[in-house]
């Protein structure tokens, strides 16, 4: 079992709809969870961080964490064509640890 | 507030050569992590430097080495380059905030080994 798993996609969503991205992780001691957005040819850009169970909202983005199910998700409301990118889920066990990434989900927002 | 910077942006080397990549962290950040991202994959953790010492290392051979300077900047060195070392090399910096560390990435160095 891979440490961090994501559906590679592509995930195609109409403009204005809600995009839902999912991620599961295997290590129960994971403490910190991150979503990064990566445009083609660019470096990852932090979108959201979440540390405790529940929802965290920031503008059009909502991160959801369920540690019992080892599941983290990202919702993007009112999707825009500029949201088209690869979304990387990353976890770590604590401050001193490097991030473990999934392979990313390729999201396409159709105008 | 300057973000994470990396140099060079692109590099072409041949097999067997050695390469040094450089990273300057965001202002106020004391920790630097290095990642390798192959095409179509997520970044893979190479190692992390804090207080000028390697604090943690991923599953990479000792051909990959690094250094952190007193001003928190860092270098990644790769010896005896292989074709498979061709990738985007990412530097990320962080600092502790309420017990957690959020890593911010630089623009990366794209290395091509021929």
């Amino acid at each position: 079992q891979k440490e961090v798993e994501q559906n590679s996609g592509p995930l195609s969503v109409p403009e204005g709809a809600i995009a839902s991205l999912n991620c599961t992780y295997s290590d129960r001691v994971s403490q910190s969870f991150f979503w990064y957005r990566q445009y083609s040819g660019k470096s990852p850009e932090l979108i959201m961080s979440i540390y405790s169970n529940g929802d965290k909202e920031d503008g059009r983005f909502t991160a959801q964490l369920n540690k019992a199910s080892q599941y983290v998700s990202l919702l993007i409301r009112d999707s825009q064509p500029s949201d088209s990118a690869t979304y990387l889920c990353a976890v770590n066990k604590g401050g001193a640890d490097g991030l473990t990434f999934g392979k990313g989900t390729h999201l396409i927002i159709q105008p | 507030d300057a973000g994470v910077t990396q140099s060079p942006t692109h590099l072409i080397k041949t097999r067997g050569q050695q390469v040094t990549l450089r990273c300057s962290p965001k202002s106020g950040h004391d920790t630097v992590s290095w990642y390798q991202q192959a095409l179509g994959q997520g970044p893979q953790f190479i190692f992390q430097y804090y207080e000028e010492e390697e604090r943690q290392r991923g599953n990479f051979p000792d051909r990959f080495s690094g250094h952190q300077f007193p001003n928190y900047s860092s270098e990644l060195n790769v010896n005896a380059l292989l074709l498979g070392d061709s990738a985007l090399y990412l530097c990320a910096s962080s600092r502790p905030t309420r017990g957690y560390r959020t890593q911010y990435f630089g623009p990366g160095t794209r290395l091509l080994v021929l």
Side-chain angles (χ1 to χ4, degrees), chain A residues 11-59:
Chain A
L11 174 64
S12 187
V13 173
E15 183 176 357
I18 297 175
S20 177
L21 305 163
N22 305 315
C23 170
T24 57
Y25 60 94
S26 61
D27 193 337
R28 285 193 170 275
V29 302
S30 298
Q31 296 183 4
S32 306
F33 307 86
F34 306 89
W35 284 99
Y36 289 86
R37 177 175 65 197
Q38 187 172 28
Y39 293 114
S40 180
K42 301 295 185 182
S43 65
E45 172 192 10
L46 180 70
I47 297 295
M48 293 284 286
S49 60
I50 187 166
Y51 308 110
S52 55
N53 281 328
D55 294 1
K56 179 182 177 182
E57 187 174 319
D58 184 0

mmCIF file of all heavy atoms in Angstrom, chain A residues 11-59:
data_model
loop_
_atom_site.group_PDB
_atom_site.id
_atom_site.type_symbol
_atom_site.label_atom_id
_atom_site.label_comp_id
_atom_site.label_asym_id
_atom_site.label_seq_id
_atom_site.Cartn_x
_atom_site.Cartn_y
_atom_site.Cartn_z
ATOM 1 N N LEU A 11 -9.627 14.582 -13.571
ATOM 2 C CA LEU A 11 -10.944 14.854 -13.037
ATOM 3 C C LEU A 11 -11.471 16.090 -13.765
ATOM 4 O O LEU A 11 -10.880 17.156 -13.667
ATOM 5 C CB LEU A 11 -10.853 15.119 -11.531
ATOM 6 C CG LEU A 11 -12.143 15.572 -10.835
ATOM 7 C CD1 LEU A 11 -13.191 14.479 -10.895
ATOM 8 C CD2 LEU A 11 -11.849 15.951 -9.384
ATOM 9 N N SER A 12 -12.549 15.931 -14.488
ATOM 10 C CA SER A 12 -13.107 17.020 -15.290
ATOM 11 C C SER A 12 -14.364 17.549 -14.615
ATOM 12 O O SER A 12 -15.285 16.782 -14.318
ATOM 13 C CB SER A 12 -13.423 16.514 -16.702
ATOM 14 O OG SER A 12 -13.808 17.571 -17.520
ATOM 15 N N VAL A 13 -14.403 18.865 -14.362
ATOM 16 C CA VAL A 13 -15.506 19.508 -13.638
ATOM 17 C C VAL A 13 -15.950 20.739 -14.423
ATOM 18 O O VAL A 13 -15.100 21.511 -14.894
ATOM 19 C CB VAL A 13 -15.037 19.919 -12.228
ATOM 20 C CG1 VAL A 13 -16.102 20.730 -11.508
ATOM 21 C CG2 VAL A 13 -14.660 18.685 -11.417
ATOM 22 N N PRO A 14 -17.251 20.958 -14.591
ATOM 23 C CA PRO A 14 -17.708 22.162 -15.306
ATOM 24 C C PRO A 14 -17.429 23.412 -14.485
ATOM 25 O O PRO A 14 -17.444 23.402 -13.244
ATOM 26 C CB PRO A 14 -19.219 21.942 -15.455
ATOM 27 C CG PRO A 14 -19.505 20.570 -15.006
ATOM 28 C CD PRO A 14 -18.351 20.087 -14.198
ATOM 29 N N GLU A 15 -17.187 24.495 -15.192
ATOM 30 C CA GLU A 15 -16.969 25.779 -14.537
ATOM 31 C C GLU A 15 -18.153 26.127 -13.648
ATOM 32 O O GLU A 15 -19.316 25.958 -14.031
ATOM 33 C CB GLU A 15 -16.766 26.873 -15.588
ATOM 34 C CG GLU A 15 -16.456 28.242 -15.020
ATOM 35 C CD GLU A 15 -16.167 29.275 -16.102
ATOM 36 O OE1 GLU A 15 -16.158 28.899 -17.292
ATOM 37 O OE2 GLU A 15 -15.950 30.452 -15.756
ATOM 38 N N GLY A 16 -17.853 26.614 -12.427
ATOM 39 C CA GLY A 16 -18.906 26.990 -11.494
ATOM 40 C C GLY A 16 -19.337 25.869 -10.557
ATOM 41 O O GLY A 16 -20.011 26.119 -9.555
ATOM 42 N N ALA A 17 -18.958 24.641 -10.860
ATOM 43 C CA ALA A 17 -19.336 23.493 -10.031
ATOM 44 C C ALA A 17 -18.333 23.306 -8.886
ATOM 45 O O ALA A 17 -17.336 24.027 -8.783
ATOM 46 C CB ALA A 17 -19.418 22.230 -10.875
ATOM 47 N N ILE A 18 -18.616 22.330 -8.023
ATOM 48 C CA ILE A 18 -17.704 21.997 -6.929
ATOM 49 C C ILE A 18 -16.785 20.858 -7.360
ATOM 50 O O ILE A 18 -17.243 19.814 -7.827
ATOM 51 C CB ILE A 18 -18.489 21.580 -5.666
ATOM 52 C CG1 ILE A 18 -19.333 22.732 -5.144
ATOM 53 C CG2 ILE A 18 -17.521 21.092 -4.579
ATOM 54 C CD1 ILE A 18 -20.235 22.370 -3.982
ATOM 55 N N ALA A 19 -15.485 21.079 -7.199
ATOM 56 C CA ALA A 19 -14.512 20.019 -7.467
ATOM 57 C C ALA A 19 -14.159 19.368 -6.135
ATOM 58 O O ALA A 19 -13.882 20.060 -5.149
ATOM 59 C CB ALA A 19 -13.263 20.591 -8.129
ATOM 60 N N SER A 20 -14.149 18.039 -6.117
ATOM 61 C CA SER A 20 -13.862 17.296 -4.899
ATOM 62 C C SER A 20 -12.647 16.403 -5.125
ATOM 63 O O SER A 20 -12.668 15.532 -5.999
ATOM 64 C CB SER A 20 -15.073 16.441 -4.501
ATOM 65 O OG SER A 20 -14.782 15.666 -3.352
ATOM 66 N N LEU A 21 -11.599 16.639 -4.363
ATOM 67 C CA LEU A 21 -10.353 15.886 -4.504
ATOM 68 C C LEU A 21 -10.112 15.095 -3.231
ATOM 69 O O LEU A 21 -10.275 15.624 -2.127
ATOM 70 C CB LEU A 21 -9.191 16.861 -4.741
ATOM 71 C CG LEU A 21 -9.382 17.802 -5.932
ATOM 72 C CD1 LEU A 21 -8.429 18.964 -5.859
ATOM 73 C CD2 LEU A 21 -9.212 17.045 -7.229
ATOM 74 N N ASN A 22 -9.711 13.846 -3.380
ATOM 75 C CA ASN A 22 -9.589 12.961 -2.242
ATOM 76 C C ASN A 22 -8.188 12.398 -2.089
ATOM 77 O O ASN A 22 -7.453 12.252 -3.070
ATOM 78 C CB ASN A 22 -10.583 11.805 -2.371
ATOM 79 C CG ASN A 22 -11.998 12.294 -2.544
ATOM 80 O OD1 ASN A 22 -12.441 13.201 -1.839
ATOM 81 N ND2 ASN A 22 -12.720 11.716 -3.493
ATOM 82 N N CYS A 23 -7.856 12.032 -0.857
ATOM 83 C CA CYS A 23 -6.524 11.526 -0.550
ATOM 84 C C CYS A 23 -6.640 10.607 0.660
ATOM 85 O O CYS A 23 -7.341 10.943 1.628
ATOM 86 C CB CYS A 23 -5.609 12.724 -0.244
ATOM 87 S SG CYS A 23 -3.986 12.354 0.426
ATOM 88 N N THR A 24 -5.975 9.463 0.615
ATOM 89 C CA THR A 24 -5.894 8.593 1.782
ATOM 90 C C THR A 24 -4.422 8.386 2.137
ATOM 91 O O THR A 24 -3.547 8.466 1.269
ATOM 92 C CB THR A 24 -6.554 7.227 1.541
ATOM 93 O OG1 THR A 24 -5.926 6.602 0.405
ATOM 94 C CG2 THR A 24 -8.034 7.367 1.266
ATOM 95 N N TYR A 25 -4.168 8.146 3.423
ATOM 96 C CA TYR A 25 -2.799 7.952 3.873
ATOM 97 C C TYR A 25 -2.735 6.732 4.771
ATOM 98 O O TYR A 25 -3.719 6.353 5.390
ATOM 99 C CB TYR A 25 -2.279 9.206 4.587
ATOM 100 C CG TYR A 25 -3.055 9.600 5.805
ATOM 101 C CD1 TYR A 25 -2.673 9.193 7.078
ATOM 102 C CD2 TYR A 25 -4.192 10.408 5.695
ATOM 103 C CE1 TYR A 25 -3.388 9.562 8.192
ATOM 104 C CE2 TYR A 25 -4.922 10.782 6.813
ATOM 105 C CZ TYR A 25 -4.519 10.358 8.059
ATOM 106 O OH TYR A 25 -5.242 10.718 9.168
ATOM 107 N N SER A 26 -1.555 6.132 4.859
ATOM 108 C CA SER A 26 -1.450 4.849 5.552
ATOM 109 C C SER A 26 -0.888 4.962 6.971
ATOM 110 O O SER A 26 -1.168 4.100 7.818
ATOM 111 C CB SER A 26 -0.586 3.885 4.736
ATOM 112 O OG SER A 26 0.720 4.402 4.570
ATOM 113 N N ASP A 27 -0.107 6.014 7.243
ATOM 114 C CA ASP A 27 0.579 6.088 8.536
ATOM 115 C C ASP A 27 -0.292 6.813 9.565
ATOM 116 O O ASP A 27 -0.520 8.025 9.443
ATOM 117 C CB ASP A 27 1.920 6.797 8.371
ATOM 118 C CG ASP A 27 2.823 6.632 9.575
ATOM 119 O OD1 ASP A 27 2.304 6.374 10.690
ATOM 120 O OD2 ASP A 27 4.046 6.774 9.431
ATOM 121 N N ARG A 28 -0.741 6.087 10.571
ATOM 122 C CA ARG A 28 -1.656 6.665 11.550
ATOM 123 C C ARG A 28 -1.021 7.751 12.409
ATOM 124 O O ARG A 28 -1.742 8.529 13.036
ATOM 125 C CB ARG A 28 -2.200 5.558 12.468
ATOM 126 C CG ARG A 28 -3.245 4.676 11.820
ATOM 127 C CD ARG A 28 -3.978 3.811 12.820
ATOM 128 N NE ARG A 28 -5.110 3.150 12.205
ATOM 129 C CZ ARG A 28 -6.314 3.695 12.067
ATOM 130 N NH1 ARG A 28 -6.542 4.910 12.534
ATOM 131 N NH2 ARG A 28 -7.296 3.037 11.485
ATOM 132 N N VAL A 29 0.307 7.808 12.454
ATOM 133 C CA VAL A 29 0.938 8.841 13.283
ATOM 134 C C VAL A 29 1.056 10.174 12.552
ATOM 135 O O VAL A 29 1.576 11.144 13.098
ATOM 136 C CB VAL A 29 2.329 8.397 13.785
ATOM 137 C CG1 VAL A 29 2.235 7.108 14.570
ATOM 138 C CG2 VAL A 29 3.312 8.258 12.643
ATOM 139 N N SER A 30 0.577 10.237 11.311
ATOM 140 C CA SER A 30 0.625 11.498 10.558
ATOM 141 C C SER A 30 -0.115 12.583 11.320
ATOM 142 O O SER A 30 -1.192 12.350 11.870
ATOM 143 C CB SER A 30 0.001 11.312 9.174
ATOM 144 O OG SER A 30 0.718 10.360 8.425
ATOM 145 N N GLN A 31 0.480 13.775 11.360
ATOM 146 C CA GLN A 31 -0.088 14.851 12.162
ATOM 147 C C GLN A 31 -0.518 16.060 11.344
ATOM 148 O O GLN A 31 -1.418 16.786 11.745
ATOM 149 C CB GLN A 31 0.956 15.328 13.183
ATOM 150 C CG GLN A 31 1.350 14.300 14.209
ATOM 151 C CD GLN A 31 2.319 14.884 15.225
ATOM 152 O OE1 GLN A 31 2.639 16.072 15.190
ATOM 153 N NE2 GLN A 31 2.796 14.048 16.127
ATOM 154 N N SER A 32 0.193 16.295 10.234
ATOM 155 C CA SER A 32 -0.054 17.506 9.459
ATOM 156 C C SER A 32 -0.383 17.119 8.032
ATOM 157 O O SER A 32 0.233 16.206 7.477
ATOM 158 C CB SER A 32 1.177 18.419 9.465
ATOM 159 O OG SER A 32 1.595 18.685 10.778
ATOM 160 N N PHE A 33 -1.322 17.872 7.445
ATOM 161 C CA PHE A 33 -1.828 17.506 6.123
ATOM 162 C C PHE A 33 -1.920 18.761 5.272
ATOM 163 O O PHE A 33 -2.349 19.811 5.760
ATOM 164 C CB PHE A 33 -3.207 16.844 6.257
ATOM 165 C CG PHE A 33 -3.177 15.691 7.222
ATOM 166 C CD1 PHE A 33 -3.351 15.906 8.579
ATOM 167 C CD2 PHE A 33 -2.943 14.398 6.772
ATOM 168 C CE1 PHE A 33 -3.297 14.849 9.482
ATOM 169 C CE2 PHE A 33 -2.886 13.337 7.659
ATOM 170 C CZ PHE A 33 -3.055 13.566 9.026
ATOM 171 N N PHE A 34 -1.497 18.638 4.024
ATOM 172 C CA PHE A 34 -1.389 19.811 3.167
ATOM 173 C C PHE A 34 -1.917 19.503 1.781
ATOM 174 O O PHE A 34 -1.797 18.384 1.282
ATOM 175 C CB PHE A 34 0.090 20.243 3.050
ATOM 176 C CG PHE A 34 0.757 20.473 4.378
ATOM 177 C CD1 PHE A 34 1.393 19.435 5.029
ATOM 178 C CD2 PHE A 34 0.738 21.726 4.966
ATOM 179 C CE1 PHE A 34 2.006 19.626 6.259
ATOM 180 C CE2 PHE A 34 1.344 21.940 6.203
ATOM 181 C CZ PHE A 34 1.978 20.891 6.847
ATOM 182 N N TRP A 35 -2.468 20.541 1.159
ATOM 183 C CA TRP A 35 -2.811 20.485 -0.258
ATOM 184 C C TRP A 35 -1.985 21.547 -0.978
ATOM 185 O O TRP A 35 -1.969 22.716 -0.570
ATOM 186 C CB TRP A 35 -4.290 20.751 -0.479
ATOM 187 C CG TRP A 35 -5.155 19.592 -0.129
ATOM 188 C CD1 TRP A 35 -5.857 19.391 1.030
ATOM 189 C CD2 TRP A 35 -5.425 18.451 -0.944
ATOM 190 N NE1 TRP A 35 -6.530 18.207 0.989
ATOM 191 C CE2 TRP A 35 -6.293 17.603 -0.224
ATOM 192 C CE3 TRP A 35 -5.030 18.057 -2.237
ATOM 193 C CZ2 TRP A 35 -6.757 16.392 -0.735
ATOM 194 C CZ3 TRP A 35 -5.494 16.851 -2.741
ATOM 195 C CH2 TRP A 35 -6.353 16.034 -1.997
ATOM 196 N N TYR A 36 -1.312 21.099 -2.017
ATOM 197 C CA TYR A 36 -0.540 21.994 -2.875
ATOM 198 C C TYR A 36 -1.114 21.956 -4.288
ATOM 199 O O TYR A 36 -1.554 20.906 -4.758
ATOM 200 C CB TYR A 36 0.931 21.567 -2.945
ATOM 201 C CG TYR A 36 1.730 21.808 -1.673
ATOM 202 C CD1 TYR A 36 1.744 20.871 -0.652
ATOM 203 C CD2 TYR A 36 2.480 22.977 -1.515
ATOM 204 C CE1 TYR A 36 2.490 21.087 0.503
ATOM 205 C CE2 TYR A 36 3.229 23.197 -0.362
ATOM 206 C CZ TYR A 36 3.229 22.252 0.638
ATOM 207 O OH TYR A 36 3.975 22.463 1.779
ATOM 208 N N ARG A 37 -1.085 23.075 -4.945
ATOM 209 C CA ARG A 37 -1.486 23.164 -6.348
ATOM 210 C C ARG A 37 -0.215 23.337 -7.189
ATOM 211 O O ARG A 37 0.662 24.133 -6.850
ATOM 212 C CB ARG A 37 -2.406 24.376 -6.557
ATOM 213 C CG ARG A 37 -2.836 24.623 -7.997
ATOM 214 C CD ARG A 37 -3.835 25.777 -8.056
ATOM 215 N NE ARG A 37 -3.222 27.035 -7.649
ATOM 216 C CZ ARG A 37 -3.926 28.111 -7.289
ATOM 217 N NH1 ARG A 37 -5.255 28.062 -7.267
ATOM 218 N NH2 ARG A 37 -3.308 29.218 -6.935
ATOM 219 N N GLN A 38 -0.142 22.603 -8.287
ATOM 220 C CA GLN A 38 1.028 22.691 -9.156
ATOM 221 C C GLN A 38 0.576 22.847 -10.603
ATOM 222 O O GLN A 38 -0.024 21.933 -11.180
ATOM 223 C CB GLN A 38 1.925 21.462 -9.004
ATOM 224 C CG GLN A 38 3.237 21.584 -9.749
ATOM 225 C CD GLN A 38 4.207 20.449 -9.441
ATOM 226 O OE1 GLN A 38 3.812 19.335 -9.112
ATOM 227 N NE2 GLN A 38 5.504 20.735 -9.529
ATOM 228 N N TYR A 39 0.882 23.994 -11.168
ATOM 229 C CA TYR A 39 0.641 24.206 -12.590
ATOM 230 C C TYR A 39 1.765 23.544 -13.373
ATOM 231 O O TYR A 39 2.880 23.397 -12.877
ATOM 232 C CB TYR A 39 0.575 25.693 -12.918
ATOM 233 C CG TYR A 39 -0.621 26.416 -12.324
ATOM 234 C CD1 TYR A 39 -0.461 27.392 -11.340
ATOM 235 C CD2 TYR A 39 -1.917 26.111 -12.747
ATOM 236 C CE1 TYR A 39 -1.555 28.050 -10.799
ATOM 237 C CE2 TYR A 39 -3.009 26.769 -12.206
ATOM 238 C CZ TYR A 39 -2.821 27.725 -11.233
ATOM 239 O OH TYR A 39 -3.913 28.382 -10.702
ATOM 240 N N SER A 40 1.457 23.177 -14.608
ATOM 241 C CA SER A 40 2.432 22.483 -15.444
ATOM 242 C C SER A 40 3.726 23.289 -15.573
ATOM 243 O O SER A 40 3.689 24.476 -15.917
ATOM 244 C CB SER A 40 1.832 22.237 -16.831
ATOM 245 O OG SER A 40 2.744 21.565 -17.646
ATOM 246 N N GLY A 41 4.834 22.665 -15.259
ATOM 247 C CA GLY A 41 6.136 23.315 -15.379
ATOM 248 C C GLY A 41 6.503 24.229 -14.228
ATOM 249 O O GLY A 41 7.561 24.861 -14.254
ATOM 250 N N LYS A 42 5.625 24.320 -13.224
ATOM 251 C CA LYS A 42 5.884 25.186 -12.078
ATOM 252 C C LYS A 42 6.085 24.367 -10.810
ATOM 253 O O LYS A 42 5.962 23.143 -10.819
ATOM 254 C CB LYS A 42 4.710 26.166 -11.880
ATOM 255 C CG LYS A 42 4.439 27.055 -13.082
ATOM 256 C CD LYS A 42 5.587 27.997 -13.357
ATOM 257 C CE LYS A 42 5.252 28.950 -14.488
ATOM 258 N NZ LYS A 42 6.395 29.862 -14.800
ATOM 259 N N SER A 43 6.392 25.043 -9.721
ATOM 260 C CA SER A 43 6.601 24.361 -8.449
ATOM 261 C C SER A 43 5.304 24.328 -7.639
ATOM 262 O O SER A 43 4.372 25.086 -7.925
ATOM 263 C CB SER A 43 7.706 25.064 -7.652
ATOM 264 O OG SER A 43 7.307 26.369 -7.292
ATOM 265 N N PRO A 44 5.208 23.458 -6.640
ATOM 266 C CA PRO A 44 3.992 23.380 -5.824
ATOM 267 C C PRO A 44 3.758 24.655 -5.022
ATOM 268 O O PRO A 44 4.683 25.237 -4.475
ATOM 269 C CB PRO A 44 4.266 22.192 -4.902
ATOM 270 C CG PRO A 44 5.301 21.378 -5.607
ATOM 271 C CD PRO A 44 6.154 22.369 -6.315
ATOM 272 N N GLU A 45 2.481 25.033 -4.960
ATOM 273 C CA GLU A 45 2.059 26.235 -4.234
ATOM 274 C C GLU A 45 1.084 25.793 -3.147
ATOM 275 O O GLU A 45 0.103 25.092 -3.432
ATOM 276 C CB GLU A 45 1.383 27.196 -5.204
ATOM 277 C CG GLU A 45 0.730 28.398 -4.574
ATOM 278 C CD GLU A 45 -0.167 29.136 -5.558
ATOM 279 O OE1 GLU A 45 -0.416 28.616 -6.654
ATOM 280 O OE2 GLU A 45 -0.639 30.230 -5.213
ATOM 281 N N LEU A 46 1.319 26.196 -1.918
ATOM 282 C CA LEU A 46 0.456 25.798 -0.807
ATOM 283 C C LEU A 46 -0.946 26.380 -0.963
ATOM 284 O O LEU A 46 -1.102 27.577 -1.179
ATOM 285 C CB LEU A 46 1.057 26.250 0.519
ATOM 286 C CG LEU A 46 0.246 25.882 1.754
ATOM 287 C CD1 LEU A 46 0.300 24.379 2.002
ATOM 288 C CD2 LEU A 46 0.757 26.640 2.979
ATOM 289 N N ILE A 47 -1.949 25.509 -0.854
ATOM 290 C CA ILE A 47 -3.344 25.931 -0.896
ATOM 291 C C ILE A 47 -3.939 25.906 0.504
ATOM 292 O O ILE A 47 -4.564 26.875 0.933
ATOM 293 C CB ILE A 47 -4.167 25.010 -1.822
ATOM 294 C CG1 ILE A 47 -3.650 25.099 -3.251
ATOM 295 C CG2 ILE A 47 -5.657 25.365 -1.769
ATOM 296 C CD1 ILE A 47 -3.816 26.455 -3.888
ATOM 297 N N MET A 48 -3.787 24.783 1.190
ATOM 298 C CA MET A 48 -4.412 24.617 2.499
ATOM 299 C C MET A 48 -3.539 23.739 3.385
ATOM 300 O O MET A 48 -2.870 22.837 2.893
ATOM 301 C CB MET A 48 -5.777 23.938 2.381
ATOM 302 C CG MET A 48 -6.844 24.730 1.680
ATOM 303 S SD MET A 48 -7.511 26.026 2.723
ATOM 304 C CE MET A 48 -8.521 25.070 3.850
ATOM 305 N N SER A 49 -3.597 23.977 4.676
ATOM 306 C CA SER A 49 -3.028 23.072 5.665
ATOM 307 C C SER A 49 -4.127 22.741 6.672
ATOM 308 O O SER A 49 -4.999 23.583 6.932
ATOM 309 C CB SER A 49 -1.839 23.718 6.380
ATOM 310 O OG SER A 49 -2.241 24.901 7.046
ATOM 311 N N ILE A 50 -4.095 21.534 7.216
ATOM 312 C CA ILE A 50 -5.091 21.150 8.220
ATOM 313 C C ILE A 50 -4.439 20.180 9.189
ATOM 314 O O ILE A 50 -3.654 19.303 8.775
ATOM 315 C CB ILE A 50 -6.364 20.566 7.547
ATOM 316 C CG1 ILE A 50 -7.473 20.324 8.586
ATOM 317 C CG2 ILE A 50 -6.053 19.298 6.745
ATOM 318 C CD1 ILE A 50 -8.853 20.076 7.971
ATOM 319 N N TYR A 51 -4.752 20.339 10.476
ATOM 320 C CA TYR A 51 -4.068 19.562 11.494
ATOM 321 C C TYR A 51 -5.012 18.773 12.392
ATOM 322 O O TYR A 51 -4.605 17.825 13.069
ATOM 323 C CB TYR A 51 -3.210 20.484 12.376
ATOM 324 C CG TYR A 51 -2.290 21.377 11.581
ATOM 325 C CD1 TYR A 51 -2.527 22.755 11.520
ATOM 326 C CD2 TYR A 51 -1.202 20.868 10.893
ATOM 327 C CE1 TYR A 51 -1.685 23.579 10.783
ATOM 328 C CE2 TYR A 51 -0.363 21.699 10.160
ATOM 329 C CZ TYR A 51 -0.613 23.039 10.115
ATOM 330 O OH TYR A 51 0.221 23.854 9.388
ATOM 331 N N SER A 52 -6.289 19.184 12.461
ATOM 332 C CA SER A 52 -7.226 18.507 13.345
ATOM 333 C C SER A 52 -8.457 18.073 12.564
ATOM 334 O O SER A 52 -8.756 18.615 11.487
ATOM 335 C CB SER A 52 -7.621 19.429 14.510
ATOM 336 O OG SER A 52 -8.117 20.649 14.031
ATOM 337 N N ASN A 53 -9.156 17.100 13.114
ATOM 338 C CA ASN A 53 -10.340 16.568 12.447
ATOM 339 C C ASN A 53 -11.372 17.667 12.197
ATOM 340 O O ASN A 53 -11.535 18.582 12.999
ATOM 341 C CB ASN A 53 -10.985 15.476 13.314
ATOM 342 C CG ASN A 53 -10.262 14.152 13.193
ATOM 343 O OD1 ASN A 53 -9.717 13.815 12.150
ATOM 344 N ND2 ASN A 53 -10.249 13.397 14.278
ATOM 345 N N GLY A 54 -12.060 17.535 11.061
ATOM 346 C CA GLY A 54 -13.113 18.480 10.748
ATOM 347 C C GLY A 54 -12.824 19.225 9.466
ATOM 348 O O GLY A 54 -12.061 18.760 8.628
ATOM 349 N N ASP A 55 -13.473 20.358 9.319
ATOM 350 C CA ASP A 55 -13.369 21.176 8.116
ATOM 351 C C ASP A 55 -12.599 22.447 8.417
ATOM 352 O O ASP A 55 -12.664 23.002 9.510
ATOM 353 C CB ASP A 55 -14.762 21.552 7.607
ATOM 354 C CG ASP A 55 -15.563 20.360 7.131
ATOM 355 O OD1 ASP A 55 -15.047 19.224 7.201
ATOM 356 O OD2 ASP A 55 -16.715 20.558 6.698
ATOM 357 N N LYS A 56 -11.876 22.890 7.392
ATOM 358 C CA LYS A 56 -11.195 24.190 7.453
ATOM 359 C C LYS A 56 -11.452 24.899 6.143
ATOM 360 O O LYS A 56 -11.190 24.343 5.073
ATOM 361 C CB LYS A 56 -9.687 24.013 7.679
ATOM 362 C CG LYS A 56 -8.918 25.320 7.721
ATOM 363 C CD LYS A 56 -7.434 25.063 7.905
ATOM 364 C CE LYS A 56 -6.635 26.358 7.888
ATOM 365 N NZ LYS A 56 -5.179 26.108 8.021
ATOM 366 N N GLU A 57 -11.998 26.107 6.226
ATOM 367 C CA GLU A 57 -12.388 26.850 5.026
ATOM 368 C C GLU A 57 -11.483 28.053 4.826
ATOM 369 O O GLU A 57 -11.115 28.740 5.782
ATOM 370 C CB GLU A 57 -13.844 27.304 5.155
ATOM 371 C CG GLU A 57 -14.413 27.945 3.912
ATOM 372 C CD GLU A 57 -15.901 28.242 4.053
ATOM 373 O OE1 GLU A 57 -16.632 27.406 4.599
ATOM 374 O OE2 GLU A 57 -16.325 29.338 3.618
ATOM 375 N N ASP A 58 -11.149 28.307 3.560
ATOM 376 C CA ASP A 58 -10.368 29.497 3.198
ATOM 377 C C ASP A 58 -10.821 29.917 1.814
ATOM 378 O O ASP A 58 -10.421 29.323 0.812
ATOM 379 C CB ASP A 58 -8.876 29.176 3.207
ATOM 380 C CG ASP A 58 -8.012 30.409 2.930
ATOM 381 O OD1 ASP A 58 -8.571 31.513 2.725
ATOM 382 O OD2 ASP A 58 -6.777 30.269 2.923
ATOM 383 N N GLY A 59 -11.684 30.918 1.788
ATOM 384 C CA GLY A 59 -12.213 31.379 0.500
ATOM 385 C C GLY A 59 -13.017 30.291 -0.180
ATOM 386 O O GLY A 59 -13.935 29.732 0.409
#
